[in-house]
Amino acid sequence: MLSVKHPLAAIFGLAGPRLTDEERAFFADADPYGFILFGRNIGTPDQVRALVADLRDCVGREAPVLIDQEGGRVRRLKPPHWRDAPSMAPFVALHDRDPAAAGRAVSLNASLLATELADLGIDVDCYPLADVPVAGAHDIIGDRAFGHDPAVVSTLCGHAISGLLAGGVLPVVKHIPGHGRAFADSHLDLPTVDADHATLAATDFVPFKALAQAPYGMTAHIVYTALDPDRPATTSPTVIRDVVRGELGFEGLLMTDDLSMKALTGDFAVRTAESLAAGCDLVLHCNGDMDEMTAVARGCRPLDVDAQARVKRLDVFKAQRLKSLNVRAIQAELDDLLATV
């Protein structure tokens, strides 16, 4: 019996709006699970479609293509070619007045996001944030979150997930087990959270536990002293296996946050190996630096048996795509709901 070759447990970014010969050769050889796009990769709709097709051609399969399209501050697709998608703030404000209307608005908005992405061939959105910000925390989360109440965050994230799935795009819930208490930006520093386990369980963990059936999740590069005082969640077996998989019961494919963020230090091959050893299914490297990606590939391995099973489970979510969505009607209804805020 011939052995089946499984993709590398990695998701890579690239440097610009078109593949270079070096990137094409590297991706063909490394065979990563998927790719992620950023603003530097985005031009016109036709250019993005061509780029997505080229990326998949490199690996010879329908590899997942990810993007961070939340709305507000974090969106890679912007006017004039794409909608001016809002932050989460107006949905939170609407929820204060009419919870049912807010849930409907979040779902409609997410379906519009998905429709735009699916039109480009992008099939995974790194959204929604299930983080619960606390007073005084760093603004890196801020209005990207669905407010400060764990129950509300849980509910509105659920609506966001449903809306994305209806539009044919798989969501990535982030940042497990919670970035809301961070007083530093993990893009620049390693945050430390000193809240005790009981406090985390009663607040930060609540949305992630409620969303444990989501298709994808993304870790937080944060040290939680009550869980593992020596390692950030991404590289901590205690956090990943005991908390994320155990206490929270998260069943989806789990990817790291970007390994090139400054919250992590050391050789990229080591960062990769430690993340996978901790229990992450996939490592994410975003900046397109070829030397760093080569090191990530060196420290990586193909998808393991558990990750392969979780990939197969994605078919259940893909089946939730609706056959057609009336974009004009959705936009009009969303505008009416948000006009009251």
Side-chain angles (χ1 to χ4, degrees):
M1 181 181 293
L2 295 175
S3 61
V4 177
K5 181 178 181 288
H6 294 288
L8 196 71
I11 297 167
F12 288 127
L14 65 154
R18 293 172 183 80
L19 277 169
T20 66
D21 290 341
E22 184 181 25
E23 288 170 338
R24 192 182 301 274
F26 171 74
F27 293 147
D29 180 62
D31 190 24
Y33 172 77
F35 304 95
I36 186 166
L37 302 182
F38 283 82
R40 64 181 181 272
N41 309 124
I42 305 300
T44 66
D46 284 344
Q47 170 267 321
V48 176
R49 291 188 196 100
L51 177 59
V52 168
D54 282 350
L55 288 168
R56 290 183 170 135
D57 185 63
C58 285
V59 294
R61 56 185 162 79
E62 288 297 303
V65 177
L66 293 71
I67 198 166
D68 290 285
Q69 189 69 5
E70 301 171 9
R73 289 181 290 150
V74 179
R75 50 185 178 159
R76 315 307 180 197
L77 306 177
K78 300 178 181 180
H81 297 296
W82 294 281
R83 186 172 62 107
D84 188 13
S87 72
M88 303 311 102
F91 303 105
V92 176
L94 180 58
H95 188 276
D96 290 341
R97 298 171 54 180
D98 188 337
R104 176 64 176 165
V106 168
S107 179
L108 293 169
N109 180 65
S111 289
L112 291 175
L113 292 175
T115 300
E116 290 181 314
L117 298 183
D119 177 64
L120 303 171
I122 299 168
D123 54 358
V124 182
D125 191 2
C126 297
Y127 167 80
L129 275 74
D131 304 304
V132 183
V134 299
H138 194 284
D139 193 45
I140 189 60
I141 299 300
D143 64 0
R144 298 168 63 194
F146 283 114
H148 299 82
D149 182 328
V152 173
V153 172
S154 302
T155 298
L156 295 184
C157 279
H159 287 293
I161 288 171
S162 296
L164 286 178
L165 293 175
V169 169
L170 299 184
V172 180
V173 175
K174 55 189 186 184
H175 305 82
I176 302 175
H179 207 299
R181 292 182 184 276
F183 282 75
D185 179 357
S186 54
H187 293 87
L188 306 174
D189 297 291
L190 176 60
T192 297
V193 169
D194 292 323
D196 60 50
H197 195 143
T199 299
L200 293 171
T203 53
D204 303 61
F205 294 176
V206 170
F208 296 105
K209 196 167 185 176
L211 304 170
Q213 298 297 312
Y216 287 97
M218 181 184 291
T219 65
H221 294 333
I222 294 176
V223 171
Y224 304 87
T225 58
L227 308 179
D228 185 339
D230 301 316
R231 289 167 292 194
T234 301
T235 58
S236 169
T238 301
V239 176
I240 300 301
R241 292 174 179 165
D242 296 349
V243 178
V244 176
R245 295 298 189 192
E247 183 175 353
L248 304 184
F250 185 74
E251 296 185 1
L253 270 167
L254 185 65
M255 68 185 73
T256 70
D257 205 343
D258 181 11
L259 291 184
S260 63
M261 290 163 61
K262 291 180 171 57
L264 302 183
T265 58
D267 180 80
F268 279 87
V270 175
R271 298 185 196 189
T272 300
E274 289 180 346
S275 299
L276 296 174
C280 295
D281 295 312
L282 298 161
V283 295
L284 176 66
H285 184 277
C286 296
N287 67 19
D289 182 284
M290 184 57 68
D291 289 339
E292 292 181 9
M293 290 194 294
T294 301
V296 168
R298 189 170 63 248
C300 203
R301 54 158 170 74
L303 294 175
D304 66 14
V305 173
D306 290 338
Q308 292 166 33
R310 292 178 183 122
V311 170
K312 290 181 181 178
R313 178 175 170 264
L314 297 180
D315 290 339
V316 174
F317 297 100
K318 293 174 183 177
Q320 296 180 40
R321 180 174 189 170
L322 298 180
K323 290 184 179 180
S324 64
L325 290 173
N326 187 327
V327 173
R328 287 188 178 181
I330 291 172
Q331 183 67 70
E333 184 180 354
L334 177 62
D335 289 343
D336 285 345
L337 290 169
L338 293 183
T340 65
V341 178

